[in-house]
């Protein structure tokens, strides 16, 4: 490939083309008719799913798929402990957050035990978008500044404020003036020094524009940018740079949190970084619609002094029961350890495969969060990437895409992945690479 491939928005990667609706299955046409332009479905031929368990999903025809994409069911699809906890709690009480309910505070205490001690106030929400929206608003209230630094292809949610700091969601126009994007680590020869220099330059630019820096917002593995785990420790220095400029460091842990990187429970902890705000999302409830924002009491008080905040069902008793069950399962089943051990095995096997498959350019990641760049001689090849994704689907394995050009395979299996399932994936990838490289994408 000689031409630089086009930038691809996150929702366009491996997405069903609605213009082909006339030839789609009745169930697909029904979905499009109900949801319209906001409908986002995977694959040129979308899959109708009916059940899932562990690392496997089953479609309407009874075919099973090894799930290497859906990070939301973090401890495994339909985990019986989470199912029991949700069923038991919803059968006894589910109400809004204006009442004192022990299961809610029990959960918050258990969650806070995993967080830095100074982040002792936790506000529960129903989605990661809400959690990030609140984090940005708090950063502005605390600092008196309006500007934000994010990474080039970041995605942080879909409220109006959060979409503005999510470059990968924007299909037209550029970022708003109060947002500056920098390349993720790894985009320069010296990942750490280049990234820190870019961060400094971005904050200087926000100052020149008259906004100042309210916060630097990132997820610690830069997932939408193509999974860049970076050298451990550099994010701690990034956080220090931001605070030296009077801004806050917001750690978006929706994807890297809850043991996924293996080395630590949080993505920021892998770097020894001290965030001012931490946001979390639906993996904390294994898919139950729940999320949270944790920060210092004085920061939350500064925001609430000017703005009333209430989330009717954020932190409802059923959400708390689901979250508590997830924490227990991670501990009892040693899933963080499994993410580390199985992730190392998977990473090594894919790297061994890359030695025989020149279309695999780079393999990187931490724990069970891995990115595989596709393209010969280091040139990103999004078309080949899509062919690989389709070929994997035909072999019963689900994967996604990431990166600025959509040329990175994004691997995020449930934390309960076994070595045997990891090996099954590598075998399928080997076959898929051969098939995809030999056939044009039609």
């Amino acid at each position: 490939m000689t031409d630089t491939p086009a930038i691809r928005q996150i929702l366009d990667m491996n997405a069903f083309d609605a213009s082909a609706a006339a030839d789609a299955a009745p169930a697909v046409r029904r979905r499009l008719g109900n949801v319209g332009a906001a409908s986002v479905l995977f694959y040129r031929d979308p899959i109708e799913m009916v059940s899932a368990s562990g690392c496997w999903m089953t479609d309407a025809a009874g075919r099973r798929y090894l799930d290497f994409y859906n990070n939301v069911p973090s401890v495994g699809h339909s985990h019986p402990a989470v199912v029991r906890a949700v069923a038991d709690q919803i059968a006894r009480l589910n109400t809004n957050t204006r009442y004192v309910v022990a299961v809610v505070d029990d959960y918050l205490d258990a969650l806070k035990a995993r967080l830095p001690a100074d982040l002792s106030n936790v506000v529960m929400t129903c989605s990661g978008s809400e959690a990030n929206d609140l984090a940005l608003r708090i950063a502005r209230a605390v600092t008196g500044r309006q500007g934000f630094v994010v990474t080039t292809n970041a995605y942080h949610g879909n409220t109006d404020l959060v979409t503005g700091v999510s470059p990968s969601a924007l299909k037209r126009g550029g970022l708003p003036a109060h947002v500056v994007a920098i390349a993720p680590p790894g985009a320069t020869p010296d990942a750490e020094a280049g990234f820190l220099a870019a961060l400094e330059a971005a904050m200087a630019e926000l100052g020149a524009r008259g906004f100042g820096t309210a916060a630097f917002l990132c997820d610690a593995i830069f997932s939408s940018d193509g999974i860049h785990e970076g050298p451990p420790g550099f994010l701690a220095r990034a956080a220090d740079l931001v605070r030296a400029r009077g801004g806050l460091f917001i750690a978006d842990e929706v994807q890297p949190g809850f043991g996924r990187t293996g080395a630590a429970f949080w993505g920021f902890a892998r770097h020894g970084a001290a965030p001012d705000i931490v946001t979390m999302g639906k993996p904390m409830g294994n898919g139950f619609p729940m999320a949270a924002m944790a920060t210092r009491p004085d920061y939350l008080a500064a925001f609430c002094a000017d703005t009333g905040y209430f989330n009717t069902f954020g932190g409802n008793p059923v959400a708390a029961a689901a979250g508590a069950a997830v924490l227990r399962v991670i501990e009892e089943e040693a899933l963080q350890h499994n993410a580390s051990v199985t992730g190392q095995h998977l990473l090594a096997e894919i790297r061994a495969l890359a030695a025989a498959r020149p279309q695999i350019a780079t393999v990187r990641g931490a724990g069970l969060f891995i990115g595989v760049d596709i393209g010969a001689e280091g040139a990103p090849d999004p078309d080949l990437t899509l062919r690989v994704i389709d070929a994997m689907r035909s072999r019963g394995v689900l994967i996604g895409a990431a990166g600025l050009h959509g040329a990175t395979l994004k691997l995020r299996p449930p934390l309960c992945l076994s070595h045997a399932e990891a090996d099954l994936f590598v075998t399928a990838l080997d076959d898929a690479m051969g098939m995809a490289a030999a056939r044009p994408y039609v």
Side-chain angles (χ1 to χ4, degrees), residues 213-239:
T213 301
F216 166 50
L217 168 65
C218 77
D219 78 77
I221 203 160
F222 302 90
S223 53
S224 296
D225 288 289
I227 300 91
H228 296 273
E229 77 284 8
F234 82 94
L235 267 186
R237 290 176 279 283

Side-chain angles (χ1 to χ4, degrees), residues 408-430:
T408 301
L409 300 179
K410 179 166 58 176
L411 314 181
R412 307 173 301 185
L415 302 182
C416 56
L417 185 78
S418 69
H419 271 50
E421 289 165 334
D423 291 342
L424 190 157
F425 169 85
V426 175
T427 298
L429 180 59
D430 187 19

Side-chain angles (χ1 to χ4, degrees), residues 7 24 77 93 95 117 162 168 230 240 266 336 339 351 353 384 387 393 395 405 413 437:
I7 294 174
H77 289 279
L93 174 68
T95 187
V162 178
S168 67
D240 290 341
W266 304 107
Q336 181 181 326
R351 284 174 172 159
L353 175 61
L384 177 58
R387 296 202 300 272
R393 178 251 178 92
R395 285 158 176 74
H405 307 293

Side-chain angles (χ1 to χ4, degrees), residues 39-291:
S39 176
V40 178
L41 296 169
F42 290 142
Y43 299 105
R44 290 181 293 168
D45 179 18
I47 305 172
E48 182 181 356
M49 292 295 186
V50 296
S51 64
S53 178
C55 293
W56 295 84
M57 303 182 73
T58 304
D59 70 12
R63 181 169 190 184
R64 298 176 75 225
Y65 299 85
L66 178 60
D67 184 5
F68 255 67
Y69 179 77
N70 295 291
N71 67 309
V72 171
S74 56
V75 299
H77 289 279
S78 308
H79 194 288
V82 181
V83 171
R84 285 193 301 271
V86 168
D88 177 73
Q89 186 59 51
I90 203 167
R92 71 176 68 228
L93 174 68
N94 196 29
T95 187
N96 67 64
T97 53
R98 292 181 189 255
Y99 303 98
V100 177
V101 182
V103 67
V104 174
D105 288 288
D106 288 345
Y107 173 61
L108 291 174
D109 286 341
L111 180 63
K112 285 166 55 178
R114 297 277 194 173
L115 287 162
D118 61 327
L119 306 185
S120 58
N121 277 181
V122 179
V123 178
M124 299 291 291
T125 65
C126 298
S127 70
S129 296
E130 288 180 289
N132 278 326
D133 188 279
L134 180 58
L136 298 180
R137 293 164 70 191
I138 288 173
R140 283 179 164 177
V142 169
T143 65
R145 300 171 181 184
Q146 299 295 308
F148 299 103
V149 181
V150 295
T151 49
T152 309
N153 210 48
Y155 178 78
H156 294 289
N158 56 23
T159 69
D160 181 52
L161 181 57
V162 178
T163 297
V165 296
S166 299
S168 67
L170 301 176
K171 293 187 175 183
R172 297 179 182 175
L175 291 168
H178 67 273
V179 180
V180 174
I182 61 176
T188 60
D190 186 331
E192 179 178 346
F195 182 78
L196 296 179
L199 178 58
E200 282 274 31
M203 292 189 290
E205 177 63 23
L206 287 173
R209 294 180 187 179
F211 295 106
T213 301
F216 166 50
L217 168 65
C218 77
D219 78 77
I221 203 160
F222 302 90
S223 53
S224 296
D225 288 289
I227 300 91
H228 296 273
E229 77 284 8
F234 82 94
L235 267 186
R237 290 176 279 283
D240 290 341
L241 285 178
V242 175
R243 280 190 283 266
R245 287 265 188 172
L248 305 184
F249 170 44
I250 303 173
D252 181 340
E253 291 289 324
V254 172
Q255 296 195 59
F258 292 83
R260 178 159 291 281
T261 66
F265 193 80
W266 304 107
F268 66 79
R270 177 175 168 269
H271 289 276
D276 300 290
I277 303 175
V278 174
T279 58
M280 298 152 262
K282 285 175 280 294
M284 67 194 298
N286 209 47
F288 191 88
M290 63 182 296

